[in-house]
């Protein structure tokens, strides 16, 4: 017998980057959750109530945290933790889930932007820093909650409502100045430092093949020595075959081969006449 744990998230509203917020909320809920204690004797399973035994936490080995990156101008500029308005105008989105041990759990890319390997490595380094900060905040919040529970203090979601902690970061709606937007955007872009290499129009060498950037190979690592030798042999064989084919075509398009000048006899079955043609009268197409 096993426990079945279900995690539901209900989205009320958001201001962008809901993936990161949902991942943090989900992992914190699982870390904060306590299940009833259980004892097994033979085939008899006993589930204890909270009054009989204190509930026990789940066995969580690591906490994967998502960090999102928004890309603009075909990957020239990147932005961490985009807002809802920034998501409307972004060209692509990259989400990297990582734990504090710098282990990548998942990578998801969406949009119309083609990313270079250097850009993905840069994002992974930023993710490692952000994940370490977020994990430390989560652990401190869980420790403070556990400490408050042991001391009998105030804690929990119900206690946060009367103190208006839920609406602490609430902001009133403000008018947005849309005058000279293009000029302001041009000034921001001019001040920003673009990456060393920018490819405005990505090149797909093989249509229908998923590739990153302008590279021909779509593998994560270098080829092994045996694979390199096999690739070199195949390339050599293909070059020899192409040379032989080209040589045969050259011979076919050159002067006709020398043939024996013997008369050719054509017979007509109906009239039983025999016509002898000299070699020079034979058309070239009947070689």
């Amino acid at each position: 017998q096993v426990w079945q744990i279900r995690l539901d998230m209900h989205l009320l509203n958001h201001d962008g980057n809901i993936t990161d917020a949902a991942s943090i909320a989900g992992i914190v809920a699982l870390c904060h959750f306590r299940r009833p204690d259980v004892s097994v004797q033979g085939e008899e399973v006993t589930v204890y109530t909270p009054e009989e035994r204190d509930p026990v936490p789940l066995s969580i080995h690591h906490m994967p945290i998502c960090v999102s990156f928004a890309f603009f101008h075909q990957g020239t500029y990147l932005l961490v933790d985009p807002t809802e308005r920034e998501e409307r105008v972004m060209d692509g989105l990259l989400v990297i889930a990582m734990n504090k041990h710098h282990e990548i759990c998942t990578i998801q890319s969406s949009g119309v932007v083609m990313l270079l390997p250097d850009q993905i490595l840069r994002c992974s380094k930023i993710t490692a820093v952000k994940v370490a900060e977020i994990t430390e905040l989560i652990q401190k919040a869980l420790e403070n909650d556990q400490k408050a529970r042991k001391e009998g203090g105030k804690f929990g979601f119900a206690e946060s409502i009367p103190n208006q902690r839920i609406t602490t970061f609430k902001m009133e709606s403000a008018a947005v100045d849309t005058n000279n937007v293009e000029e302001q955007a041009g000034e921001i872009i001019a001040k920003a430092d673009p990456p060393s290499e920018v490819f405005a129009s990505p090149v797909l060498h093989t249509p229908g093949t998923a590739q990153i950037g302008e590279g021909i190979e779509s593998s994560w690592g270098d080829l092994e020595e045996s694979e390199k030798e096999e690739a070199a042999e195949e390339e050599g064989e293909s070059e020899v075959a192409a040379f032989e084919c080209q040589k045969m075509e050259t011979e076919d398009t050159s002067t006709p081969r020398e043939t024996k000048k013997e008369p050719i006899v054509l017979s007509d079955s109906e009239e039983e006449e025999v016509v002898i043609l000299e070699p020079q009268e034979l058309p070239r197409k009947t070689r």
Side-chain angles (χ1 to χ4, degrees):
Q1 297 183 2
V2 297
W3 287 104
Q4 181 180 5
I5 301 173
R6 175 175 171 177
L7 177 62
D8 294 330
M9 295 187 184
H10 299 276
L11 180 63
L12 301 180
N13 55 32
H14 75 99
D15 190 29
N17 198 10
I18 188 60
T19 303
D20 296 7
S23 69
I24 296 173
I27 193 65
V28 172
L30 293 176
C31 293
H32 189 268
F33 176 74
R34 300 292 186 272
R35 65 168 179 82
D37 196 4
V38 179
S39 65
V40 180
Q41 295 180 356
E43 297 182 356
E44 183 180 357
V45 179
T46 303
V47 180
Y48 298 96
T49 61
E51 291 76 15
E52 295 175 342
R53 289 188 181 181
D54 293 336
V56 296
L58 302 177
S59 299
I60 298 178
H61 302 287
H62 67 106
M63 293 187 293
I65 304 297
C66 293
V67 178
S68 298
F69 300 87
F71 292 90
F72 303 89
H73 287 263
Q74 292 297 322
T76 305
Y77 308 100
L78 66 88
L79 185 66
V80 185
D81 190 9
T83 62
E84 191 268 339
R85 292 183 178 179
E86 292 166 346
E87 289 180 349
R88 291 184 182 182
V89 296
M90 66 182 181
D91 295 332
L93 182 69
L94 178 67
V95 181
I96 301 178
M98 183 184 296
N99 56 24
K100 66 178 182 179
H101 306 294
H102 297 182
E103 296 174 348
I104 296 178
C105 303
T106 181
I107 295 180
Q108 181 184 9
S109 178
S110 60
V112 296
V113 63
M114 297 287 292
L115 301 178
L116 297 174
D118 293 340
Q119 292 174 314
I120 297 179
L121 291 176
R122 181 187 178 190
C123 293
S124 64
K125 294 179 181 178
I126 298 175
T127 302
V129 177
K130 301 296 292 183
V131 167
E133 297 176 355
I134 296 173
T135 303
E136 185 177 358
L137 292 175
I138 292 174
Q139 291 176 347
K140 287 183 178 180
L142 294 173
E143 291 174 0
N144 294 335
D145 178 81
Q146 187 68 18
K147 183 179 179 180
R149 290 175 182 270
K150 289 182 179 180
E151 296 177 353
K154 298 179 180 181
F155 56 86
F157 179 78
E159 185 61 30
S160 301
I161 295 178
N163 294 334
Q164 296 184 355
R165 295 179 183 176
I166 303 300
T167 58
T168 300
F169 299 103
K170 181 180 179 181
M171 299 178 61
E172 299 295 335
S173 59
V176 179
D177 185 11
T178 57
N179 297 326
N180 301 327
V181 175
E182 295 183 357
E183 296 180 1
Q184 295 178 7
E187 294 178 358
I188 296 174
I189 295 175
K191 294 179 181 179
D193 296 330
S196 57
E197 295 183 2
V198 178
F199 296 92
S201 56
V203 180
L204 288 178
H205 298 273
T206 306
T209 303
Q211 296 183 2
I212 299 177
E214 199 185 10
I216 298 178
E217 297 181 0
S218 58
S219 58
W220 287 103
D222 297 332
L223 295 176
E224 299 293 339
E225 294 297 333
S226 58
E227 296 179 353
K228 290 182 179 180
E229 294 178 359
E230 292 178 1
E233 292 178 359
E234 293 178 357
E235 184 178 359
E237 293 177 358
S238 61
E239 291 179 355
V240 172
F243 177 75
E244 293 292 339
C245 181
Q246 184 179 5
K247 183 178 179 182
M248 293 176 61
E249 292 177 355
T250 305
E251 293 179 354
D252 292 339
T253 55
S254 60
T255 56
R257 300 176 181 176
E258 295 182 359
T259 55
K260 296 181 179 180
K261 297 182 180 180
E262 297 180 356
I264 299 176
V265 180
L266 302 178
S267 62
D268 192 347
S269 58
E270 294 181 357
E271 299 179 0
E272 295 183 356
E273 295 182 356
V274 177
V275 180
I276 300 176
L277 299 178
E278 295 298 330
Q280 59 271 15
E281 298 177 3
L282 183 64
R284 291 189 62 184
K285 292 184 179 181
T286 59
R287 287 176 50 201

